[in-house]
Amino acid sequence: MSTEAWIIDTARTPRGIGKQGKGALAHLHPQTLAATVLKALQQRNDIDTREVDDIIWGCSSQKGKQANCIGRMAALDAGWDTAASGVTLDRFCGSGITSVNMAAASIMAGMEDLVVAGGVEMMSYTPTVPPVDGAGGMDAGNLHLRDLHPQFHQGICADVIATLEGITREQVDQLALESQQRAKAAIEEKRFDKSVVPVYDYDGKLCLDHEEFPRPQTTLEGLSQLNPVFGNFMQQPFDATGESFDQLVRRVYPDIEINHIHHAGNSSGVVDGSAGVLLASPDYAKGRGWKPRARIIAMANAAGSPELMLNEPGPAARKVLKKAGMTLDDIDLIEINEAFAVVAYKFMRDLDIDPAKCNVNGGAIALGHPIAATGSILIGTVLDELERRGLGTGLVTMCAAGGMAPAIIIERI
């Protein structure tokens, strides 16, 4: 029985702008992006796909083209042996970490030896998918849940948290600028090149081989001139019941006067992308002659208020550190998803983290957040950077809708 799970390799696509008619990947099937990553991992490591025990794949909006167990379908699209099974999961934004955690757990339990984990999200596609029914899915059960937990829009949630925590527009704009500047340096120095693989159409035409979303020309002055956007949603009907977002918020905070500070420049980018992580047991890796890049040290999940759904990365980090018997001083680099600037700002403030070791190559504000793929991207990003700097340990965590956060600690081998 294995007690360790090793990371053998990581691969990801570049992130394309997630808008139909504008993004370089927007015309593709999501399956194509996932298959691109699987092909790269297979070719780079000479995987015998007949021996893959499972493919655990995250996808948050499992509708239309992203439905029907896209993890399995992507493996078939990639030409993998039909013996390689697949499953698709959804922990919202946390899916890409959760897929890796579940793959590692199955290996560490001795039940499997070779698993590929990852995720895909085509945000250029999902806005065009209509809801399940005309009422936005608000059947009696969901209305009952709303009475228990009025969960409002994530962007509004970000502004509510900033208001409750006294976090200012200037503070989140400064973080957003830092994200752009760090991403610019990382791209110029080719820090992402080890993991990024180009995406081709079925006819062999190159679609994208670089990050499409960053805006390196961003300035603090330019950010300060952007209008907050989520205040515009407050009076809009949430669904066919006619209840507005403002009414939802006031069910929980009846007297709050929200300071709306988030806008397009300090919120995560809407993009398309996919990423994968190849994991194996030590015995299997040695039998294949593979040199491991990292081992999984600990994994954890945290959950809290569904209304303040962005607040759990801090508790998740504390929980995974406790499981590992470590402190933040033992962690060399941290990736915390920049779903909104307030998430990363509060995380670093609450845990008293030195910003110099957090999101060192920029984050989702600059690079984009392809929902279920982002966690797997961040695991690859922190591993690449640990190797580049000759450092040892990395922690990755992110918020997820419903008030959740997965976390993982890896150690470079």
Side-chain angles (χ1 to χ4, degrees):
M1 180 179 292
S2 174
T3 58
E4 286 193 348
W6 286 355
I7 295 177
I8 306 303
D9 200 8
T10 68
R12 69 172 178 90
T13 68
R15 281 160 280 197
I17 292 172
K19 293 183 179 180
Q20 282 291 335
K22 186 174 182 181
L25 304 177
H27 66 290
L28 298 174
H29 195 289
Q31 198 170 283
T32 306
L33 294 192
T36 295
V37 171
L38 294 176
K39 287 178 183 178
L41 289 172
Q42 192 279 322
Q43 292 167 1
R44 284 160 45 150
N45 299 281
D46 192 25
I47 299 172
D48 183 348
T49 59
R50 293 172 300 177
E51 297 183 358
V52 173
D53 290 311
D54 210 359
I55 298 148
I56 304 177
W57 215 249
C59 185
S60 186
S61 295
Q62 294 181 35
K63 304 175 182 178
K65 295 179 182 179
Q66 295 194 159
N68 303 314
C69 192
I70 196 168
R72 166 66 169 174
M73 298 305 137
L76 296 175
D77 191 283
W80 282 27
D81 195 280
T82 56
S85 64
V87 66
T88 304
L89 60 82
D90 176 14
R91 199 195 294 274
F92 304 109
C93 298
S95 301
I97 295 178
T98 297
S99 65
V100 175
N101 286 357
M102 288 186 171
S106 69
I107 293 170
M108 295 166 79
M111 296 296 103
E112 294 175 325
D113 285 300
L114 180 62
V115 186
V116 180
V120 65
E121 206 81 42
M122 293 281 289
M123 299 182 77
S124 61
Y125 167 67
T126 52
T128 68
V129 180
V132 175
D133 58 57
M138 284 296 108
D139 58 24
N142 279 329
L143 288 173
H144 174 67
L145 176 58
R146 180 186 296 182
D147 289 337
L148 294 173
H149 294 290
Q151 300 174 59
F152 29 90
H153 188 283
Q154 289 192 354
I156 295 171
C157 176
D159 287 339
V160 168
I161 291 170
T163 301
L164 296 174
E165 297 286 338
I167 296 171
T168 67
R169 167 73 182 262
E170 291 73 23
Q171 288 169 326
V172 293
D173 278 357
Q174 183 61 55
L175 186 147
L177 177 64
E178 187 73 19
S179 181
Q180 293 285 354
Q181 292 176 336
R182 290 182 178 189
K184 178 178 182 290
I187 291 168
E188 289 176 347
E189 296 176 15
K190 303 184 185 302
R191 298 181 194 173
F192 300 139
D193 285 10
K194 187 169 187 175
S195 289
V196 173
V197 295
V199 180
Y200 294 90
D201 212 333
Y202 286 116
D203 62 4
K205 178 183 177 182
L206 176 65
C207 296
L208 189 65
D209 62 358
H210 63 279
E211 299 289 350
E212 191 177 29
F213 187 79
R215 297 177 292 274
Q217 72 279 10
T218 298
T219 64
L220 197 59
E221 180 182 5
L223 290 171
S224 70
Q225 294 172 0
L226 295 176
N227 293 323
V229 297
F230 298 110
N232 300 331
F233 297 172
M234 295 298 291
Q235 303 306 323
Q236 294 181 11
F238 181 66
D239 57 26
T241 66
E243 188 167 20
S244 68
F245 284 110
D246 183 66
Q247 289 172 305
L248 283 178
V249 172
R250 294 191 184 283
R251 288 196 192 193
V252 187
Y253 301 101
D255 301 319
I256 194 170
E257 294 299 326
I258 303 175
N259 181 21
H260 292 285
I261 64 173
H262 286 90
H263 49 76
N266 59 29
S267 304
S268 58
V270 176
V271 295
D272 300 331
S274 185
V277 180
L278 174 62
L279 299 104
S281 67
D283 286 347
Y284 186 90
K286 292 172 184 176
R288 293 285 299 178
W290 285 340
K291 182 180 179 181
R293 297 178 60 191
R295 63 171 59 88
I296 310 298
I297 296 298
M299 304 164 286
N301 298 297
S305 166
E307 294 82 10
L308 296 180
M309 62 188 79
L310 311 176
N311 276 342
E312 296 313 305
R318 292 187 179 99
K319 187 174 180 179
V320 77
L321 286 165
K322 184 177 180 180
K323 285 180 177 290
M326 303 170 75
T327 70
L328 281 168
D329 290 337
D330 300 314
I331 303 297
D332 294 313
L333 295 175
I334 297 170
E335 289 288 330
I336 163 69
N337 187 42
E338 296 171 352
F340 300 91
V342 73
V343 177
Y345 186 90
K346 184 177 185 300
F347 176 83
M348 289 187 285
R349 185 197 68 181
D350 290 357
L351 274 66
D352 193 23
I353 295 170
D354 182 357
K357 70 176 186 181
C358 193
N359 294 359
V360 298
N361 289 324
I365 290 172
L367 296 159
H369 173 27
I371 308 297
T374 302
S376 301
I377 291 174
L378 296 183
I379 291 169
T381 296
V382 79
L383 177 53
D384 287 347
E385 192 64 15
L386 288 171
E387 291 174 340
R388 194 181 75 83
R389 297 187 180 207
L391 298 175
T393 56
L395 186 154
V396 182
T397 187
M398 61 198 306
C399 59
M404 299 183 288
I408 185 171
I409 295 174
I410 67 170
E411 180 182 47
R412 186 171 69 92
I413 298 177

